[in-house]
Each structure stands twice: as C-alpha cells, then as structure tokens.
Amino acid sequence: MIPYVYHASYSELALPPNHRFPTTKYQDLYEYLLESKFAKAEQFHFPDPICSEELFAIHDPNYVKELINGTLDSKMMRHIGFPWSKGLIRRTLHSIAGTRLTASLALEHGCALHLSGGYHHSHYDFGSGFCLFNDLIFAATEMQKKYGLATVLIFDCDVHQGDGTASLGQNHEGIVTCSLHCGKNFPARKMHSDYDIELEKETPNLPYLETVSQTFEYLIRLHQPDLIIYDAGVDVHKDDDLGYLNICDDGIYQRDTNIFSIAKHNDIPVAAVIGGGYSRNRPELVNRHYQLFKAANHVFS
Ligand SMILES: [Zn+2]
C-alpha cells in the first residue's frame, strides 16, 4: 500500500473572497481519494507540525520568527500573497512536516505521496507566490541528516520555475535541483537551478512528455540520487488559470506514470507532492491532482 500524507489544516485557511489560492482542493482531494479505488483510510498518515526553530537550518531565523509571530513587513506579506493568520501558520507548519514525513515514508516503502507541498517559491529570507517556507529543501536536508543520504534530486515539474528551491539548493551540498517550467511565466526573475528546462508557451503533450522523461533519465544516470522529491504540479494543464502549457489530463497521467516507472526501474525511492494547480473549477482541478495517485498505483501496486 502506498502511503499518503494529509492533514485537515491544509484546507483550513480563511482568505478574502475571490482570492485565487484554491484552499479547499486539499480536503476535496482527500475526500475524492477516499471514495476512489485508490485509497483506504488506513493508507493515510497525518503529520504533527514541525517546530518553527527547525526551519533555521534552511531559512533566515529572523524571517522565520517574524513570519511565525505575524510581525513580518506588510510588503513582504503581500509578496507571499496571503494575509497573515494563525491558520496560515498552522497549515504551513503541518505542510512542511507533511513533505518530510512523505520523504521518510518513501525511503521506507519506495513511494509516498503528499496531498500538499511544493512550496518552491520560498527563498532563504523571503517568501513569494503563496510559498512561506520551502518544504522541498527542508525535506531533502532532513533526509540527508537523518539517513546520511549523499544525493537528493528535487525534480520540479510545476509550470512555474522553482526559483526558491534553486537559490536555496545552492546553500546545501548533495541537493540537485531541476525545474521544467514555462519560460514566459511567474517568476519574472528566474534563478539558477542546477538544471533549468524552459518550455515554450503552448507546448503540447508529446514534446513535453519526451522532455520530462529524457531529462529525468539523464539526471538519474548522472547523479544516482538516493531519493527523488518530485513536484507534480498540475498547473501545466491547458485549462489552468496560471499556466501556459497545453497539457491534458492524460498528459499529466502519462508524465507521472513515466516518472514513477523510471524511478522504480532504477530502484530509487520517490516522494511526490501535488504542487500547483489553480483552476477555479474545483472538480476538474481535483481530478488533475488525482492523476498522480492513479499513476503511482499503476506503477507500484
Ligand atoms: Zn506553479
């Protein structure tokens, strides 16, 4: 049984009306999965929140303290894109813990999936694009410390560049960062990942799938990672509100199936997070994230 990681706090966030962050998608996905043939209640793991001090290992302690206490500069809060609230901090500390738990379950079981995560626009001392703290880098460094892993590959297929992951990754030995994203999209100022693949606007399924698989196989051959953290953002979808690629539901399913098959074939554990997805049509959005779970079950069950 593939372990899934979820917490109710992910969807407990009060936002102004018409805010574009799809707060309810986490709970919707959880419920959708429980009704599907790909999830049983006992498959789910529920993380305890991290202590905020644990974040000092990857973030500026002042930034962490100010954000946790609600005293961060209002301009910096606007850059993140959320109004400060206790619920925001609570869900964030659970989400960061969730990605770490997913990584450790992946090491134990070969594959684990997180119904949140992918906060890749979070930098050392500032956040942006709905990302407060960087769960991907945090989980990678925690797994290195706990299990002595030499190399962790963060493979980011969200449609936006993982700029925070790129810059933070440079501070840590043994983390290889790769971002495949639409070149003309947020963030305007790109950072340098170890590998950046910029895709043209309107890239359709076939060249996209080839690029993803070839890049992934190449990086595995070259770096032989001990763990893969995979950001399976679905904002690559043709109908996403914030993406410009031309990928359909089946393209997402194929992408994720290829990733899992290649990881399994190479016997490398893979921890996946759902990443971005911003359609206002909630059932369609949930079905897009569901493709990740379908793909993992196809490959690992
Ligand atoms: Zn995104």
Side-chain angles (χ1 to χ4, degrees):
M1 251 188 337
I2 302 167
Y4 299 157
V5 175
Y6 171 74
H7 196 272
S9 65
Y10 297 169
S11 282
E12 289 167 358
L13 179 62
L15 291 175
N18 293 323
H19 194 287
R20 78 183 339 159
F21 189 77
T23 315
T24 60
K25 78 173 181 182
Y26 308 94
Q27 190 183 347
D28 292 344
L29 178 60
Y30 174 63
E31 287 168 3
Y32 192 76
L33 277 166
L34 279 175
E35 283 168 18
S36 78
K37 60 178 176 178
F38 295 128
K40 294 191 177 71
E42 59 267 32
Q43 232 164 316
F44 284 90
H45 298 249
F46 305 94
D48 291 324
I50 59 161
C51 293
S52 57
E53 289 81 14
E54 293 183 83
L55 291 165
F56 297 171
I58 66 159
H59 286 293
D60 174 24
N62 283 331
Y63 167 65
V64 174
K65 284 184 224 162
E66 287 176 6
L67 187 42
I68 296 287
N69 297 334
T71 55
L72 192 70
D73 177 67
S74 58
K75 227 167 147 185
M76 286 178 76
M77 273 321 292
R78 274 202 302 280
H79 200 57
I80 289 171
F82 290 131
W84 190 90
S85 65
K86 280 188 180 161
L88 174 65
I89 300 305
R90 184 168 180 267
R91 82 179 287 281
T92 298
L93 296 179
H94 280 91
S95 299
I96 308 290
T99 299
R100 175 172 66 183
L101 177 58
T102 307
S104 97
L105 287 165
L107 288 170
E108 199 181 325
H109 297 268
C111 174
L113 309 177
H114 190 198
L115 283 74
S116 176
Y119 297 102
H120 60 171
H121 301 306
S122 167
H123 295 247
Y124 177 70
D125 55 3
F126 68 97
S128 87
F130 310 138
C131 302
L132 286 74
F133 302 121
N134 197 305
D135 60 315
L136 306 166
I137 294 286
F138 182 72
T141 56
E142 289 282 298
M143 294 306 105
Q144 286 179 314
K145 267 187 271 178
K146 193 166 175 196
Y147 299 102
L149 306 185
T151 310
V152 179
L153 169 64
I154 299 177
F155 194 74
D156 187 342
C157 285
D158 189 282
V159 79
H160 305 101
Q161 194 213 19
D163 55 339
T165 307
S167 64
L168 276 170
Q170 291 166 6
N171 300 347
H172 299 279
E173 284 290 308
I175 296 180
V176 178
T177 59
C178 175
S179 178
L180 291 97
H181 50 269
C182 181
K184 292 197 175 62
N185 204 343
F186 180 88
R189 183 168 166 246
K190 308 283 191 284
M191 304 301 283
H192 292 289
S193 312
D194 294 312
Y195 301 89
D196 285 297
I197 311 291
E198 292 211 341
L199 300 152
E200 296 287 330
K201 275 189 176 181
E202 310 300 333
T203 298
N205 283 345
L206 208 56
Y208 176 71
L209 292 173
E210 278 176 13
T211 304
V212 171
S213 291
Q214 283 171 9
T215 306
F216 191 56
E217 282 180 319
Y218 169 80
L219 293 179
I220 285 180
R221 267 203 309 277
L222 195 63
H223 294 285
Q224 296 288 313
D226 303 295
L227 170 69
I228 293 152
I229 300 178
Y230 172 48
D231 185 334
V234 300
D235 43 14
V236 294
H237 195 276
K238 61 185 173 61
D239 298 327
D240 192 87
D241 290 2
L242 300 182
Y244 298 109
L245 300 186
N246 207 1
I247 311 304
C248 68
D249 287 356
D250 193 53
I252 290 172
Y253 174 71
Q254 287 301 330
R255 176 192 72 176
D256 297 348
T257 302
N258 294 344
I259 294 289
F260 289 133
S261 301
I262 295 165
K264 188 183 178 193
H265 179 75
N266 287 277
D267 206 17
I268 303 171
V270 56
V273 301
I274 62 170
Y278 300 95
S279 179
R280 288 188 194 269
N281 184 323
R282 207 43 48 84
E284 282 183 14
L285 177 59
V286 166
N287 185 55
R288 285 172 209 160
H289 284 301
Y290 176 68
Q291 303 306 311
L292 177 74
F293 296 80
K294 220 167 96 181
N297 277 276
H298 176 72
V299 173
F300 288 101
S301 293

